[in-house]
Amino acid sequence: MAFAMTMLSWSVIEYSQKYEAIGEYKHTRDLIKWGTDYLLLTFNSSASKIDKIYCQVGGSQNGPRQPDDHYCWQRPEDMDYPRPSRVVNAGSDLAGEMAAALAAASIVFRDNEVYSRKLVKGAETVYAFARDLGKRKPYSRGKPFVEPFYNSTGYYDEYIWGATWLYYATGNINYMRWATEPGFSKHSKALYRISDLSVLSWDNKLPAAMLLLTRYRIFLNPGYPYEEMLHMYHNKTELNMCSYLRQFNVFNWTKGGLIRLNSGRPRPLQYVANTAFLASLFVDYLNATRVPGFQCGSKFISLDVLRSFATSQINYILGDNPMKMSYVVGYGTKFPRHIHHRGASIPSDKRRYSCTGGWKWRDSPRPNPNNITGAMVGGPDRFDRFRDVRTNGNFTEPTLAGNAGLVAALSSMTGSGGIGIDKNTMFSAVPPLYPPTPPPPPAWKP
């Protein structure tokens, strides 16, 4: 959820003029505030030091046949089984992402000084929790209600990501020191040529963090002592972009033209949408500095090649695929009708369905009575095939994180509101990098 809010905020900061042009600016800000208000309630956001974060409500232990979030099929308003909140006393990954979400949103809400300051304070508090020596471990480790569903592979990527957003939100140079800390790079394997690490997801922030730092280098060029790490991150960002292009054979592709970023595992579209956003945004960064392309080894890649990759992937999601199906509910004439979603699948018939009473709607072959318009589903398999079956979440389940990436990508690619990014808003809190030129001495008088 925190990652979804960070992605929405990032896209609003870069493309606010596009959101305004299509009449979605206020709506998207409302969505972000819904998320950040919630995040601020999960820890003592008025304190500067905390010892716990409430990380989850409800959950399931795969297997036991007792009422829980997997076993039951009910509308949210009908749930009456126990849904205890889970608390963690350590969790650098969760806290680092929450810091990123709150810091990014503080830039979105810079016109609301009181709320923006509240978000910054919360971001600094959770980042301090993430960096606390005694609390450095993945939040999911050893948590049976968390680990099977939201297993986290590490937290050094969130250290870099959270610090970068906090630097942009505060201008405090200490955060840039952390964002470019060589130890974080080493422990996160940021500069290794591991293809999985070039794929942005709620678990892996490395490609996004490096792109965000590349933005700093491209536009502000801070020089020593940050140049060495920033230069390496810029190079790795270009390598990531190269890896997304079919001609370099880094990732497999489906015959229908979808890049397979998650090693053939199910639910591919969230990774594809995130990557399309990064690619389109990188094109806009280079366009803003009138750089016509970048090198992939000895080969020069023009920006239209990378842009066409990004648009081809979003077009696939929207229906340009072998199934001729839009994977976004309500878009086009052919889209999934059996979404794995409790509220969408149960009719508004003023009847309450018990934990197991809702199973008949879960298992029904009939289309959902309610369309969850705009939801992007998990997506097709590696052979471009899609099974529109409610009980198979691998195909038909939507997610907050996946939809946030899709919204970000669409905001980058729409022609409404003109082309290109807002170069300066991101840096509005960043102080001048060099001391101002002293005033000239007063005129000499004899």
Side-chain angles (χ1 to χ4, degrees):
M1 179 181 166
F3 172 71
M5 296 309 118
T6 312
M7 291 292 282
L8 284 179
S9 290
W10 191 6
S11 70
V12 169
I13 294 163
E14 302 283 15
Y15 298 112
S16 61
Q17 78 283 9
K18 297 191 177 193
Y19 279 101
E20 284 175 351
I22 59 170
E24 290 289 339
Y25 181 66
K26 182 182 182 303
H27 179 210
T28 310
R29 279 168 54 112
D30 288 346
L31 291 175
I32 293 166
K33 190 171 187 298
W34 167 85
T36 51
D37 282 351
Y38 189 101
L39 293 174
L40 287 169
L41 293 171
T42 62
F43 66 99
N44 184 356
S45 58
S46 61
S48 53
K49 187 172 174 63
I50 56 171
D51 60 2
K52 65 184 175 187
I53 296 173
Y54 289 90
C55 68
Q56 185 171 304
V57 178
S60 176
Q61 283 191 290
N62 271 343
R65 297 174 66 82
Q66 58 191 31
D68 67 22
D69 286 347
H70 264 203
Y71 186 73
C72 297
W73 194 266
Q74 291 174 282
R75 303 183 192 93
E77 58 269 31
D78 290 343
M79 292 172 175
D80 58 359
Y81 54 86
R83 302 188 74 234
S85 53
R86 317 283 169 194
V87 67
V88 286
N89 303 107
S92 299
D93 42 6
L94 175 66
E97 182 56 64
M98 287 171 64
L102 297 172
S106 78
I107 302 172
V108 172
F109 290 101
R110 69 196 182 287
D111 58 345
N112 180 344
E113 195 178 335
V114 172
Y115 190 60
S116 186
R117 274 207 309 265
K118 185 177 184 181
L119 291 168
V120 167
K121 180 172 173 49
E124 293 187 311
T125 297
V126 281
Y127 195 78
F129 177 90
R131 295 280 300 123
D132 190 320
L133 267 174
K135 299 179 176 17
R136 294 185 187 177
K137 70 172 188 176
Y139 90 108
S140 57
R141 186 178 296 165
K143 297 279 188 298
F145 285 91
V146 180
E147 210 162 17
F149 308 103
Y150 301 107
N151 189 40
S152 179
T153 52
Y155 52 81
Y156 283 97
D157 55 327
E158 279 90 4
Y159 277 172
I160 302 168
W161 176 238
T164 305
W165 278 113
L166 269 161
Y167 175 64
Y168 289 154
T170 65
N172 180 340
I173 200 67
N174 287 323
Y175 289 117
M176 182 49 64
R177 291 192 184 107
W178 278 328
T180 54
E181 164 59 45
F184 294 173
S185 171
K186 177 185 169 190
H187 289 302
S188 68
K189 301 184 170 63
L191 300 171
Y192 289 36
R193 291 206 182 188
I194 300 172
S195 58
D196 280 357
L197 294 184
S198 65
V199 180
L200 173 61
S201 71
W202 56 264
D203 183 34
N204 173 40
K205 316 300 158 42
L206 285 174
M210 290 190 284
L211 178 59
L212 204 53
L213 288 166
T214 297
R215 188 193 208 281
Y216 185 49
R217 182 174 190 258
I218 287 173
F219 295 128
L220 297 186
N221 191 21
Y224 180 84
Y226 312 107
E227 170 61 15
E228 187 177 358
M229 282 308 303
L230 291 175
H231 186 233
M232 288 193 281
Y233 284 156
H234 189 162
N235 282 347
K236 186 61 170 67
T237 294
E238 291 186 347
L239 284 171
N240 288 344
M241 299 301 159
C242 300
S243 76
Y244 306 146
L245 300 176
R246 198 167 193 169
Q247 60 187 285
F248 297 111
N249 298 313
V250 175
F251 293 99
N252 291 323
W253 290 60
T254 70
K255 284 185 178 173
L258 185 73
I259 188 171
R260 286 168 50 199
L261 294 163
N262 62 331
S263 308
R265 293 188 293 273
R267 307 174 192 238
L269 295 186
Q270 59 179 305
Y271 308 100
V272 173
N274 289 341
T275 300
F277 172 60
L278 295 186
S280 184
L281 187 56
F282 185 61
V283 169
D284 282 344
Y285 288 173
L286 295 190
N287 267 332
T289 47
R290 305 199 173 170
V291 175
F294 56 100
Q295 292 291 139
C296 291
S298 61
K299 199 160 189 177
F300 180 78
I301 302 296
S302 65
L303 296 186
D304 58 346
V305 171
L306 188 59
R307 178 84 81 192
S308 67
F309 155 75
T311 52
S312 73
Q313 297 307 293
I314 295 302
N315 286 342
Y316 183 106
I317 292 171
L318 295 178
D320 185 8
N321 56 61
M323 298 288 291
K324 299 290 180 241
M325 172 179 272
S326 158
Y327 292 118
V328 177
V329 177
Y331 183 81
T333 53
K334 183 183 179 187
F335 52 84
R337 303 281 181 169
H338 302 79
I339 311 302
H340 183 93
H341 186 276
R342 287 156 176 77
S345 67
I346 300 174
S348 302
D349 57 5
K350 298 192 167 47
R351 292 178 59 189
R352 185 188 174 280
Y353 295 96
S354 68
C355 167
T356 55
W359 287 5
K360 71 175 183 178
W361 301 114
R362 179 193 66 190
D363 301 334
S364 167
R366 286 182 290 184
N368 285 359
N370 313 303
N371 273 339
I372 176 168
T373 304
M376 181 179 75
V377 296
D381 66 16
R382 57 199 179 99
F383 302 108
D384 298 297
R385 295 176 309 207
F386 181 80
R387 293 183 60 220
D388 190 5
V389 176
R390 193 176 298 106
T391 49
N392 194 329
N394 284 341
F395 290 105
T396 57
E397 187 170 22
T399 65
L400 266 184
N403 252 72
L406 176 69
V407 168
L410 291 169
S411 73
S412 180
M413 290 176 207
T414 182
S416 302
I419 58 168
I421 53 156
D422 173 348
K423 191 165 80 175
N424 298 319
T425 295
M426 182 75 81
F427 301 133
S428 50
V430 174
L433 293 170
Y434 307 105
T437 308
W444 181 76
K445 288 181 182 173

